[in-house]
Amino acid sequence: MEIPVLVHGKGIYDSDDMKMKYTGMILEGSRIKEMGPFEELGPAYPGARVMDFSDCYILPGLVNTHVHLEFTPCRDTYGIYRREDRKTRLARAVEHAGTLLRSGVTTVRDAGSSMELIGALRGGDAGAKPGTELPRIQAAGMPLTPDGGHLAFLGKTSNGTEGLIQAVKERKSAGCGCVKLIVSGGQLTPGSVPEHDSYSREEIRAAVEAAHELGLPTAAHCLTTSSYVNAMEAGVDSVEHCACFRRNPCLGLLERCYEPDVMEAFRGDHRYFMIGISNNYHQLDQVREGVRKPDERESFLLEQEKRECEIFGRLADLGMRPLVGTDAGCGYTFFDETWLEMELLCSRCALTPEKVIHAATLEGAGALGWGDFLGRLAPGYEADFIAAEQNPLRDIKALRHIKHVVCRGKIIE
């Protein structure tokens, strides 16, 4: 019989009340059995082994809903991927997954990597050393994208309604946990035009319905307003990026243009959305911090940051449910900085720490279809949690310094 574990915290977060409510928690194996005051749980479980985090505040493990484990965060993400061999890429993916876990992300959705990663994760040959701890990974595998589309370099493309339906079935058979659709162009892929749409509404709907029949949640990469509308009308579960891009005729750069008359049609729609405010945020660190003055291009991009945050607020005001996803692996977006996304959602998008934590835990688990056993600290839920010495409800920056990470009931850090 497995010996229960009694977790002692300075405060343990309750997701319903959004406050530090408990000081004790009983674990049996990988699951939580009971919550309550430490002083009462101790006598009730006299043989329990104590996990002493009494100097820390305990929250559910973070859920990052959008990363690319095989990608390398740098200026040449695409070039490095194309030059690396399979063994190197898979080993790097495992390294990135471990980095996420040690930073407090106990659950992650890989929103687009090769199908080789799916097979390697299933077969245990992804380059991980014996005993290597990884977060829970829901992998989309190769996204559904047409010939010449964004991320087409990852593998086989999908064209037309029948091709999309077949591709969904192949994802299910291969062990993918979700379906990612590329419904507009993207910025990472050479030749892809971000402001052009990739699939019609009818094609998207066919893929979504096929995925739902197989029990797979769906997420759609949307950089244009029209692709957002198509994805929403087609029934996609989560809309990614929501950039509302069009091409600025003077500078030739992409600019965000929110169209309230178009978007108002979705008021009261409570589906998930992920923008990724921290994506490539570091490219403007020097000008943002006053180290040097911005040039014309950089001034334009700083304005786009403001618009991005405004779009986030407008979508939340419509009733859509925000997620925490970083797009880690793309450009200068690092795997150990989920905390940065959460800070920016507080400082630049006016969310309270409680709402950001809600987005990064319960909502993230729900978007992955795992909300019935992940995302909160409660009896019957998985024992995935993090501990910080400072209370993130008072200052979200406390999550920069996570002291302990527990995943599946095991201490990682």
Side-chain angles (χ1 to χ4, degrees), residues 71-90:
F71 290 175
T72 303
C74 65
R75 186 182 298 275
D76 190 26
T77 297
Y78 168 81
I80 289 177
Y81 182 93
R82 297 290 285 174
R83 291 192 296 271
E84 284 183 334
D85 59 37
R86 174 184 181 275
K87 184 177 180 181
T88 302
R89 280 194 285 105
L90 296 181

Side-chain angles (χ1 to χ4, degrees), residues 361-393:
T361 55
L362 265 178
E363 295 288 48
L368 272 57
W370 294 347
D372 58 344
F373 66 95
L374 287 179
R376 70 165 75 231
L377 301 178
Y381 278 68
E382 287 288 326
D384 292 1
F385 55 91
I386 57 176
E389 289 186 307
Q390 303 301 315
N391 188 346
L393 298 178

